[in-house]
Amino acid sequence: MGRWSTYPTTVNDLREIDISFLSKHDYLKPDNFRSGVITWSYSNGNKNSISIHTVTNETDGVLTLDYTYNNTEKINYQIQLITRPSNLGKGLIWFFVCPYTGKVCRKLHLINGYFKHRSALSGIMYKSQIESKKWREWSKIFKGDFDDKIYSELYSKGFKKFYAGKI
């Protein structure tokens, strides 16, 4: 008789805040104060949002997160931002300092109500680590064929299937 599966928590299933997202939306400009909201939506239609505030200097800053966890617990805390010189010699690169592990990272994941470095949750794995050996082989061979991004782009509104009369 079979048993219930005990799949571990994967990094891909966790909500995350990424430095590149903050940088792309001008939250990390030097000597700046910026506020905004990050919203995630689930496949069932539910949405979650977090208020964020950044205060930056030339080489460091503070990210303040304000949100409600599980519709009951109001959470407000700060995450330190630091910079390091680029290995290419072209400016500075921004990083988070995890408030729980103290590790310097570019992504923080929502773990038990707080944004932490992935090492704060023991036993966490990437999605590819729990795939079978056979499925990993198939993924390598047919990687481009199973990409949902290409399919959604092909059938998105405004996508032109023909250009100057040619496919």
Side-chain angles (χ1 to χ4, degrees), residues 68-83:
T68 303
Y69 181 67
N70 283 341
N71 295 325
T72 56
E73 185 180 356
K74 292 194 180 291
I75 299 176
N76 184 328
Y77 64 100
Q78 295 182 341
I79 299 171
Q80 184 182 358
L81 300 168
I82 62 169
T83 58

Side-chain angles (χ1 to χ4, degrees), residues 38-55:
I38 297 176
T39 303
W40 290 281
S41 57
Y42 294 93
S43 57
N44 63 5
N46 292 342
K47 291 185 177 182
N48 294 83
S49 61
I50 296 177
S51 297
I52 61 172
H53 310 281
T54 57
V55 179

Side-chain angles (χ1 to χ4, degrees), residues 21-30 32-38 52-56 63 81 94:
F21 174 84
L22 296 178
S23 181
K24 183 170 72 172
H25 291 89
D26 297 330
Y27 284 98
L28 300 177
K29 285 187 174 178
N32 192 19
F33 172 79
R34 175 100 193 237
S35 297
V37 176
I38 297 176
I52 61 172
H53 310 281
T54 57
V55 179
T56 56
L63 170 69
L81 300 168
W94 288 91

Side-chain angles (χ1 to χ4, degrees), residues 7-22:
Y7 293 114
T9 304
T10 62
V11 174
N12 309 66
D13 296 334
L14 300 174
R15 297 291 180 209
E16 66 183 32
I17 293 179
D18 193 354
I19 281 287
S20 63
F21 174 84
L22 296 178

Side-chain angles (χ1 to χ4, degrees), residues 129-152:
Q129 289 177 294
I130 59 174
E131 289 178 347
S132 69
K133 185 176 181 181
K134 193 61 141 178
W135 186 255
R136 285 192 302 257
E137 289 175 16
W138 281 90
S139 294
K140 286 178 188 175
I141 296 169
F142 297 108
K143 184 178 180 182
D145 296 336
F146 293 138
D147 191 6
D148 289 337
K149 231 185 229 185
I150 295 171
Y151 180 83
S152 61

Side-chain angles (χ1 to χ4, degrees), residues 6 11 22 54 60 68 72 75 85 93-94 107 121-122 125 135 153-154 156 167:
T6 56
V11 174
L22 296 178
T54 57
D60 63 350
T68 303
T72 56
I75 299 176
I93 299 177
W94 288 91
K107 288 184 182 183
L121 183 61
S122 61
M125 295 182 163
W135 186 255
E153 182 182 337
L154 182 63
S156 67
I167 293 179

